[in-house]
Amino acid sequence: MSDHNPISDSTLITAAIDAMTRAYAPYSNFAVGAALLDENGQIHCGANVENAAYPNGICAETSAIAMMVNAGGTQIKRIAVAGGTDAVDILCTPCGGCRQRIREFAAPDTVIIIASPVGEQQRFTLADLLPHSFGPANLN
């Protein structure tokens, strides 16, 4: 945790787990919640939202990023993703599309905390999950 930000990792994890309870997942019954911290010290949460036309659903991370952008945030400082069950050996990491969406607003060393409904399981940097990524700087 940065000395410049009073939001703890446990607060972020709790927010992601809480966001899971608001997921709309009637088809998969697989709830996912995400909570991200922006450059202004604000937490933005999202949950997965499924749709009967399956490709039209959105992931929790995408939902949280949209909330951040709508509130004026432009940088992800940390993100927690919570999903699945309390099984310790199964991680609910961001899908490939969400890894790229996170990359749009985060640095390679941004911490991504993975949690189950009962708490933290593991943490990665964005570079761990999306090595050699394509980002805004590639377009210059």
Side-chain angles (χ1 to χ4, degrees):
M1 183 174 83
S2 168
D3 292 336
H4 299 98
N5 201 307
I7 304 297
S8 70
D9 288 349
S10 62
T11 297
L12 206 58
I13 293 165
T14 298
I17 293 169
D18 184 55
M20 282 181 67
T21 67
R22 292 184 296 281
Y24 178 75
Y27 307 107
S28 71
N29 293 312
F30 192 86
V32 180
L36 64 84
L37 182 68
D38 73 12
E39 75 275 19
N40 301 312
Q42 299 299 309
I43 295 175
H44 306 280
C45 297
N48 58 319
V49 179
E50 295 180 347
N51 189 287
Y54 294 124
N56 291 324
I58 61 169
C59 297
E61 300 90 331
T62 301
S63 176
I65 290 168
M67 297 297 287
M68 177 189 76
V69 170
N70 188 56
T74 61
Q75 296 176 353
I76 297 172
K77 294 301 187 180
R78 276 182 284 141
I79 185 168
V81 178
T85 67
D86 59 0
V88 296
D89 58 339
I90 300 172
L91 302 177
C92 181
T93 59
C95 71
C98 284
R99 292 174 193 203
Q100 186 63 47
R101 287 180 189 92
I102 293 167
R103 173 62 181 91
E104 187 71 16
F105 299 97
D109 63 348
T110 299
V111 173
I112 300 172
I113 304 164
I114 306 303
S116 74
V118 296
E120 181 176 340
Q121 293 175 294
Q122 198 166 341
R123 50 182 67 215
F124 302 93
T125 64
L126 179 58
D128 292 333
L129 293 178
L130 191 65
H132 311 290
S133 66
F134 186 91
N138 294 94
L139 297 176
N140 290 338

